[in-house]
Amino acid sequence: MSEPDNIGDRLRSLREGRSLTRQELADDSGVDVDLIEKLEHGRRQTARYTSLTRLADALNVGISRLLGGRRPEERAPAMPDDVRQVRDVVASADSMPGMDADDAGEAPDLAELNAAVDAAWRDYRAGNLRRLVGVLPGLIGEARLASSELGPGAAGPLAEAHELAARLFVHYGRCDLAEIATERAIRAAEGGSDELEWETLHGTYSWTLLCEGRHRASEEHALSIAASTEPAMDETALRDLTVWGGLMLAAMAAASAAERTASMTEYLGIAGSAAHRFARDRLDHHVGFGPARVATQATRDYAMLHEPGLALRAAEDVHADELPRRSYGRHLIDVARAQAEIRDLRAAEETLRAAESLCAESFSPAGPACAVVGDVVVDVGHLTPELRRMARSVAVQV
């Protein structure tokens, strides 16, 4: 039997499969029976994300069963052919794809290699992913050659090149490849002497596990590494505290994804205490941590846990000049999610417009703004021209 191709048909199929009446499903989920009836009869094509979540919970299925795939903010763009070249380099244990066929095999200058890695990180942070895709195969190949010729001194560039590949794969939803790349990065770092880099990469590994939906494993891994490296709050250099704090943020995110609110709140308290050492956020070993990052993560986690009041309270501590432009735009999407849940729809629309001006790439059918725009469109009484335009950009029916 083929899978129903719209939310209403999927909802009816799942409800009838569990021998529930519409009223029984409404009672179990807390969703109005009138909405259930309209969805099943096709008079409504979608509903607020929070309502769909409650229906899915009552039916004991994942939200993806109602949406017909992964939820909008989890969908990733298709992996282009040139990204597959990065995959081939990372997956190759023996050869060094991306190297010039006429290369004499002489190890690259280490200073030049480090400068190239730094430039690749700048591309990543600026969102220049197409340029990053173009340089990574050769960069990984050069770093492998340097590692084989120069030994531990080249462990850092090799580890960082693989970490960049891991982050790129996460962007394209290939968390399986990101895990492989991160494991190779950790193995490379173990050949060097930089313990903070090793710790940082384990933080990246925790985020990769979270990307794969392995919430408990992600949380436990972050906590294990944090416990083995826990700094003294009053003595440790701030760069050590930055990396350690990044692990606590990873544990927070994993706990919230698993809907373990008590644990998430506990980790938030710990991370917040560490962040009090910072006047402003820091970026060390490509990990950002500080008061704004903690508040940003808290906003996101509380919004995803359907605690909009706590999310908006956390957001009061985040200001535009404290985060990179794109990061602040993504943060505003979480703020709009919370505003939509408390039905402050005009505020949510205004926040979405501000977010779009900062991170337009998030406003696509595969972007994180899709579900929030959909919630606002469903609930608002009159669609403004701007809201109609945003709905079209994320492929939400109006």
Side-chain angles (χ1 to χ4, degrees), residues 3-22:
E3 180 76 11
D5 62 1
N6 60 67
I7 287 178
D9 288 345
R10 285 189 287 270
L11 178 61
R12 181 188 298 108
S13 176
L14 289 166
R15 177 180 62 76
E16 293 177 347
R18 285 156 180 74
S19 301
L20 294 172
T21 66
R22 292 192 184 100

